[in-house]
C-alpha cells in the first residue's frame, strides 16, 4: 500500500522554544535526550496534535539527537500522532471491563453517528474515534478519554451530548 506523506507547517515559536529550554534545563547538559518525551508532548500540542517527519527531525536537531532516536519514541507511544488527527479525539477504552459494559456498541454508535471508521478523522477534521487500552478508570466503565479529561459511565445519550458540546466549542478538553 502506498504510504501517504502528510505535510505540516513547522512553527517553533519563541514561547515554545523557551518551554523546550526549560524542560531541557531539568537534566544534565549531556543528557538532553532525557527531555525527549516532555518536549515531544509540548511540540505536538503546539502543532495540531501531530508530529510530521520534518517536525520530528526538528526536535532531533534541537535536542542534538539522531533523527532515529526521535522516530523510535514517536512510533512506540500511541499518544504521539504521525498524521493529522481529528481535533476531538474520542479514545474509548477497549479493555475487558469496558467491553463487558458495552463499549464496543458505543464505539459503533459513535462511528455511525459521525460517519467514520475507527482511527479515521471526520471530513471536517473535528472528530476521530479510537480504541485504546485500559485507562485505569475501570470502575467507571464504559469510558473514554478526550484530551485531558475522562468521560465515564457512558451511554448513547452522554455521547450525543458530548458531540454536541464539541461541535458548539462548549467543552474544555485540555488543561492548558
Ligand atoms: S478497562 Fe476500561 S478503564 Fe480499565
Amino acid at each position: 500500500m502506498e504510504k501517504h506523506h502528510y505535510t505540516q507547517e513547522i512553527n517553533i515559536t519563541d514561547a515554545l522554544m523557551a518551554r523546550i529550554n526549560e524542560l531541557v534545563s531539568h537534566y544534565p547538559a549531556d543528557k538532553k535526550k532525557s527531555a525527549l518525551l516532555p518536549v515531544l508532548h509540548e511540540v505536538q500540542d503546539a502543532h495540531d496534535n501531530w508530529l510530521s517527519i520534518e517536525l520530528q527531525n526538528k526536535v532531533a536537531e534541537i535536542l542534538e539527537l539522531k533523527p532515529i532516536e526521535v522516530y523510535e519514541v514517536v512510533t512506540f507511544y500511541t499518544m504521539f500522532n504521525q498524521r493529522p488527527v481529528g481535533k476531538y479525539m474520542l479514545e474509548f477504552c477497549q479493555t475487558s471491563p469496558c467491553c463487558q459494559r458495552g463499549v464496543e456498541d458505543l464505539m459503533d454508535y459513535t462511528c455511525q453517528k459521525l460517519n467514520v471508521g475507527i482511527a479515521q478523522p471526520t471530513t471536517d477534521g473535528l472528530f476521530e474515534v479510537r480504541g485504546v487500552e485500559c485507562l485505569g478508570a475501570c470502575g467507571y466503565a464504559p469510558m473514554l478519554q478526550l484530551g485531558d479529561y475522562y468521560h465515564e459511565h457512558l451511554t448513547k445519550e452522554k455521547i450525543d451530548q458530548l458531540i454536541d458540546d464539541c461541535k458548539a466549542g462548549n467543552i474544555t478538553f485540555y488543561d492548558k
Side-chain angles (χ1 to χ4, degrees):
M1 204 199 320
E2 193 185 335
K3 207 161 187 259
H4 191 89
H5 183 81
Y6 298 100
T7 53
Q8 180 179 43
E9 188 177 331
I10 296 176
N11 187 15
I12 308 291
T13 61
D14 290 349
L16 178 56
M17 200 59 225
R19 178 72 184 130
I20 292 170
N21 287 335
E22 202 257 322
L23 290 166
V24 168
S25 75
H26 297 179
Y27 303 96
D30 61 342
K31 296 276 188 294
K32 286 187 178 181
K33 189 176 180 181
S34 302
L36 180 54
L37 276 174
V39 166
L40 284 171
H41 278 295
E42 289 289 334
V43 171
Q44 178 170 266
D45 286 353
H47 288 83
D48 294 328
N49 202 20
W50 73 288
L51 298 155
S52 61
I53 288 288
E54 291 77 13
L55 188 50
Q56 293 174 52
N57 291 342
K58 186 71 187 168
V59 170
E61 183 190 318
I62 291 169
L63 294 182
E64 297 170 14
L65 301 173
K66 295 191 191 95
I68 186 69
E69 294 178 278
V70 177
Y71 305 160
E72 62 194 12
V73 169
V74 169
T75 55
F76 182 79
Y77 290 105
T78 54
M79 70 275 271
F80 297 124
N81 301 306
Q82 299 168 70
R83 59 162 173 81
V85 293
K87 176 178 177 182
Y88 299 107
M89 178 82 79
L90 306 174
E91 296 185 296
F92 288 83
C93 166
Q94 275 189 305
T95 305
S96 304
C98 282
C99 285
Q100 284 168 5
R101 303 285 297 165
V103 78
E104 285 161 320
D105 284 349
L106 292 173
M107 288 177 77
D108 286 347
Y109 174 78
T110 310
C111 285
Q112 276 174 23
K113 185 178 170 79
L114 296 172
N115 198 23
V116 288
I118 303 283
Q120 180 186 70
T122 51
T123 47
D124 59 8
L126 270 189
F127 293 97
E128 185 163 334
V129 174
R130 274 201 195 165
V132 296
E133 299 301 324
C134 180
L135 290 164
C138 324
Y140 311 98
M143 59 81 67
L144 66 78
Q145 181 171 12
L146 170 57
D148 292 335
Y149 289 85
Y150 282 5
H151 298 266
E152 299 161 340
H153 295 306
L154 288 175
T155 60
K156 289 179 183 172
E157 292 71 28
K158 282 191 179 178
I159 287 171
D160 289 344
Q161 186 64 55
L162 180 59
I163 289 173
D164 286 348
D165 288 344
C166 291
K167 282 183 177 166
N170 198 12
I171 190 158
T172 303
F173 63 114
Y174 282 114
D175 278 336
K176 49 188 171 183

